[in-house]
Amino acid sequence: MKFRKNLAVSLALGLSIASLPAPSLAALPQGATAPDFALNAAMAGKPFRFSLHQSLRKGPVVLYFFPAAFTAGCTVEAHLFAEATDRFAKLGATVVGVTAGNVDRVAEFSKLECRNKFAVVADPGARIAAEYKTAMQYQGKALSERTSFVIAPDGKILMSYTDGNPQAHIDKTMAAVRAWNARHG
């Protein structure tokens, strides 16, 4: 119940990040090859080097880009993905968040808002966001638009979804992982 109250408060305050301008290019589409990368990340507050290639060896990856840690919409989305992480894991999928905003706070965000459930990757300068075509400029800063991808172990994008609504990302990515699992599980 506390989460629902916090969600209502966050939504009542307004999801200002959701109203950010859209990027000039559409995100990489379904069927495209996901750009590989290795960057600094944190899980449960502990830093490590995240490799997409290594994660795909375990199964599909739910890779979601969000504008900035500790903003209203991004915090709601992190809570929702944290609640869903065990369900994704049962289907063999790994959840990973990526942000270009507040990159110095990914360890803290992974612990507090991601509830020690999944890794958060720091994307300084939105370099990886640009490769996935989710980069945008906001008040002179390079950020990423709220976009989720489900990537198959072979590196192909199974699902690409951009929307300001955090809940929709969980629903869409879960459906894509379930569909993949039904064919391969």
Side-chain angles (χ1 to χ4, degrees), residues 20-21 100 125-126 136-143:
L20 293 174
M136 66 179 178
Q137 290 289 318
Y138 179 70
Q139 296 182 345
K141 293 182 180 179
L143 299 175

Side-chain angles (χ1 to χ4, degrees), residues 11-84:
L11 292 173
L13 293 174
L15 301 175
S16 60
I17 295 293
S19 64
L20 293 174
S24 59
L25 299 171
L28 287 178
Q30 179 178 337
T33 299
D36 191 22
F37 65 91
L39 288 172
N40 293 331
M43 183 164 168
K46 295 175 176 69
F48 73 101
R49 187 84 171 161
F50 174 83
S51 163
L52 180 61
H53 177 75
Q54 292 292 88
S55 290
L56 289 171
R57 288 182 176 178
K58 299 178 226 167
V61 171
V62 175
L63 187 70
Y64 85 94
F65 288 83
F66 61 98
F70 297 107
T71 57
C74 298
T75 297
V76 168
E77 187 174 31
H79 291 177
L80 293 169
F81 268 115
E83 288 178 2

Side-chain angles (χ1 to χ4, degrees), residues 45-149:
K46 295 175 176 69
F48 73 101
R49 187 84 171 161
F50 174 83
S51 163
L52 180 61
H53 177 75
Q54 292 292 88
S55 290
L56 289 171
R57 288 182 176 178
K58 299 178 226 167
V61 171
V62 175
L63 187 70
Y64 85 94
F65 288 83
F66 61 98
F70 297 107
T71 57
C74 298
T75 297
V76 168
E77 187 174 31
H79 291 177
L80 293 169
F81 268 115
E83 288 178 2
T85 297
D86 290 340
R87 289 178 295 179
F88 281 113
K90 285 180 184 174
L91 295 170
T94 302
V95 174
V96 180
V98 181
T99 188
N102 304 344
V103 295
D104 58 328
R105 298 185 71 193
V106 295
E108 180 185 7
F109 192 72
S110 75
K111 186 175 180 181
L112 297 175
E113 305 305 348
C114 302
R115 301 185 173 144
N116 301 326
K117 292 285 197 169
F118 61 90
V120 180
V121 175
D123 183 15
R127 184 179 61 84
I128 300 306
E131 289 186 34
Y132 280 80
K133 299 187 182 204
T134 68
M136 66 179 178
Q137 290 289 318
Y138 179 70
Q139 296 182 345
K141 293 182 180 179
L143 299 175
S144 59
E145 188 166 25
R146 189 177 317 286
T147 302
S148 296
F149 298 92

